[in-house]
């Protein structure tokens, strides 16, 4: 048996088709279990002792709680009106490209008892499949399902997905992880850690996602609350689109130098959600001149009196978000605008 689809529904929040169906323990072990290691930094499996009871129950014939998977359907092959047979065929063809959103520990427990004498491999396993049109919506659902589980924090989830979901090979810029940099640093390459912080800022609609004055676990709760309260899916801008714009602007050395500064990149990733059309239609050389205007105004900020990194994130966001009007100002007028924005 493969996956048999029973219902087709639609999630209005993440604008995704949600299928419910059933498969067998045998199919789950052979085709779904391998997906739990798909991420290079997947949330570590919990202590096996935590799942001893589930393994015993499985051997004794219990029905394992449903698992949730996701598939990225960028071409919108499946819709709420799709024929059930078409949806079923799609899931079985694409299952090896899927992601386990909820149930990794259960699948590991299931795999651990597959060779037990008398274990019924043909027993049914219920499954929910989220057919998501893009990666941002997948991340939102992953965070809502995994929030509160340890040791994978929301920030870690985003870091993992940044590396695994976005195809940097399609871009002309180089992106290196810390592991890559430890082996050999490529001059002019972006840091994957900076890109993931930009993604977190984009996703939470906030440039303030790190604060060493707040306990790490509480900061994670704040981040999740920001994500939950943000209208993530209003508008057409996805983070892949932001990366493509960073790639375009990086053709200019001045733009690239500016964007490679982490605080600038974080502010840019949030601000461009509002001003994408303006930025996208601005020639790279012109955008470089606008960066020089920003920096000339920024020099007027007294670095000894403020947290420069915090101000740079906030003002980069403000500048990029409102670039259509702010680009007309002189450096002095822009500094006055920044002063008004930061006076509170």
């Amino acid at each position: 048996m493969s996956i048999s689809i029973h219902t087709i529904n639609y999630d209005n929040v993440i604008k995704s088709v949600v299928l419910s169906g059933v498969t067998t323990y045998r199919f789950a072990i052979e085709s779904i279990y391998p997906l739990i290691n798909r991420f290079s930094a997947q949330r570590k499996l919990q202590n096996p002792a935590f799942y001893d009871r589930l393994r015993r129950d499985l051997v004794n014939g219990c029905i394992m709680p449903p698992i949730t998977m996701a598939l990225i359907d960028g071409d919108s092959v499946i819709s709420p009106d799709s024929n059930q047979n078409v949806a079923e065929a799609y899931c079985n063809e694409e299952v090896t490209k899927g992601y386990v959103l909820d149930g990794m520990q259960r699948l590991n427990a299931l795999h651990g008892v597959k060779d037990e004498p008398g274990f019924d491999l043909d027993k049914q396993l219920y499954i929910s499949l989220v057919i998501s049109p893009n990666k941002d919506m997948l991340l939102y659902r992953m965070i809502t399902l995994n929030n509160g589980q340890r040791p994978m924090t929301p920030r870690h989830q985003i870091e993992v997905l940044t590396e695994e979901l976005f195809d940097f090979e399609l871009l002309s810029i180089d992106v290196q992880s810390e592991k890559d940099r430890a082996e050999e640093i490529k001059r002019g390459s972006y840091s994957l850690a900076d890109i993931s912080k930009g993604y977190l800022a984009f996703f939470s609609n906030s440039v303030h996602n790190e604060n060493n004055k707040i306990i790490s676990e509480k900061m994670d709760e704040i981040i999740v609350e920001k994500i939950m309260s943000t209208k993530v899916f209003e508008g057409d801008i996805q983070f892949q689109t932001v990366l493509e714009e960073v790639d375009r602007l990086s053709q200019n050395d001045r733009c690239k130098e500016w964007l490679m500064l982490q605080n600038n990149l974080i502010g840019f990733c949030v601000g461009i959600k509002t001003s994408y059309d303006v930025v996208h239609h601005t020639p790279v050389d012109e955008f470089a001149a606008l960066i020089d205007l920003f920096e000339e105004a920024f020099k007027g900020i007294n670095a000894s009196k403020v947290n420069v990194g915090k101000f740079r994130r906030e003002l980069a966001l403000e500048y990029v978000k409102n670039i259509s009007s702010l680009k007309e100002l002189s450096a002095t007028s822009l500094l006055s605008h920044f002063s008004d924005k930061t006076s509170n």
Side-chain angles (χ1 to χ4, degrees):
M1 181 180 179
S2 52
I3 299 173
S4 176
I5 299 301
H6 292 166
T7 65
I8 301 175
N9 214 319
Y10 188 73
D11 187 319
N12 293 316
V13 174
I14 58 172
K15 298 180 174 62
S16 301
V17 177
V18 179
L19 311 176
S20 63
V22 66
T23 185
T24 62
Y25 288 166
R26 186 189 308 277
F27 183 84
I29 291 167
E30 293 174 354
S31 300
I32 302 176
Y33 169 76
L35 301 178
I36 69 174
N37 294 315
R38 190 167 176 199
F39 294 151
S40 62
Q42 181 90 12
R43 181 165 58 86
K44 293 180 176 61
L45 292 169
Q46 300 287 352
N47 187 322
F50 295 158
Y51 285 85
D52 279 347
R53 180 58 184 265
L54 176 58
R55 286 195 293 273
R56 290 198 299 271
D57 286 348
L58 286 169
V59 171
N60 290 332
C62 81
I63 296 293
M64 193 170 83
I67 65 170
T68 303
M69 289 185 62
L71 295 167
I72 301 297
D73 179 19
D75 297 325
S76 300
V77 174
I78 303 301
S79 74
D81 299 320
S82 291
N83 177 278
Q84 188 169 313
N85 292 332
V86 171
E88 190 170 293
Y90 175 83
C91 290
N92 284 294
E93 288 172 6
E94 300 293 322
V95 64
T96 57
K97 300 175 185 175
Y99 301 89
V100 178
L101 296 191
D102 188 49
M104 186 177 76
Q105 312 290 350
R106 275 161 273 157
L107 285 167
N108 189 59
L110 181 64
H111 184 266
V113 299
K114 64 182 176 63
D115 295 322
E116 290 286 336
F119 180 62
D120 185 5
L121 288 168
D122 294 317
K123 201 169 189 67
Q124 291 186 330
L125 168 64
Y126 294 95
I127 184 170
S128 176
L129 296 109
V130 179
I131 312 298
S132 183
N134 67 57
K135 298 158 189 172
D136 297 342
M137 296 182 186
L138 167 59
L139 175 61
Y140 179 87
R141 183 54 70 229
M142 185 175 184
I143 287 175
T144 56
L145 284 170
N146 289 331
N147 179 34
Q149 297 190 36
R150 293 293 182 266
M152 196 171 184
T153 66
R155 281 175 285 187
H156 187 198
Q157 291 178 49
I158 289 176
E159 191 176 305
V160 169
L161 287 172
T162 303
E163 181 176 11
E164 300 295 337
L165 291 182
F166 296 104
D167 190 351
F168 297 112
E169 296 296 324
L170 298 177
L171 306 176
S172 59
I173 57 173
D174 289 318
V175 178
Q176 285 192 297
S177 65
E178 288 186 22
K179 181 179 178 182
D180 294 334
R181 286 175 175 271
E183 296 174 358
E184 180 185 2
I185 297 177
K186 290 184 181 179
R187 286 180 61 85
S189 64
Y190 280 84
S191 164
L192 177 64
D194 291 348
I195 297 287
S196 69
K197 287 177 181 177
Y199 192 15
L200 176 56
F202 169 88
F203 209 72
S204 63
N205 207 36
S206 171
V207 296
H208 302 305
N209 291 311
E210 293 187 14
N211 190 333
N212 56 17
K213 295 178 182 178
I214 298 177
I215 296 170
S216 180
E217 289 186 4
K218 293 299 180 183
M219 194 66 217
D220 290 334
E221 292 176 12
I222 291 171
I223 290 170
V224 170
E225 187 172 302
K226 288 178 183 177
I227 291 172
M228 300 301 181
S229 62
T230 300
K231 295 179 180 179
V232 180
F233 311 118
E234 290 190 1
D236 299 323
I237 305 303
Q238 301 172 26
F239 191 66
Q240 182 68 47
T241 308
V242 176
L243 287 178
E244 290 167 1
E245 193 59 23
V246 169
D247 189 44
R248 183 185 76 87
L249 293 173
S250 293
Q251 297 172 28
N252 179 283
D253 291 341
R254 180 69 182 107
C255 293
K256 184 176 183 180
E257 178 187 24
W258 192 80
L259 287 167
M260 285 184 68
L261 188 64
Q262 182 187 108
N263 290 318
N264 290 337
L265 180 64
I266 288 172
F268 178 88
C269 287
V270 181
I272 197 173
K273 293 171 71 174
T274 302
S275 61
Y276 173 77
D277 287 339
V278 176
V279 173
H280 182 63
H281 290 99
T282 301
V284 291
D285 292 343
E286 183 179 333
F287 194 82
L290 295 176
I291 284 173
D292 288 336
L293 174 64
F294 173 88
E295 290 298 330
E296 187 176 348
F298 195 81
K299 287 177 183 176
I301 294 173
N302 190 338
S304 65
K305 300 292 185 179
V306 300
N307 181 326
V308 176
K310 175 178 178 291
F311 268 57
R312 182 170 281 279
R313 290 193 299 274
E314 291 177 351
L315 296 180
L317 161 58
E318 173 68 15
Y319 188 58
V320 174
K321 179 179 179 180
N322 300 294
I323 200 164
S324 60
S325 58
L326 297 183
K327 68 179 181 179
E328 304 298 334
L329 302 181
S330 66
T332 302
S333 296
L334 182 58
L335 176 59
S336 176
H337 177 82
F338 286 167
S339 176
D340 292 341
K341 284 294 179 181
T342 56
S343 60
N344 295 330

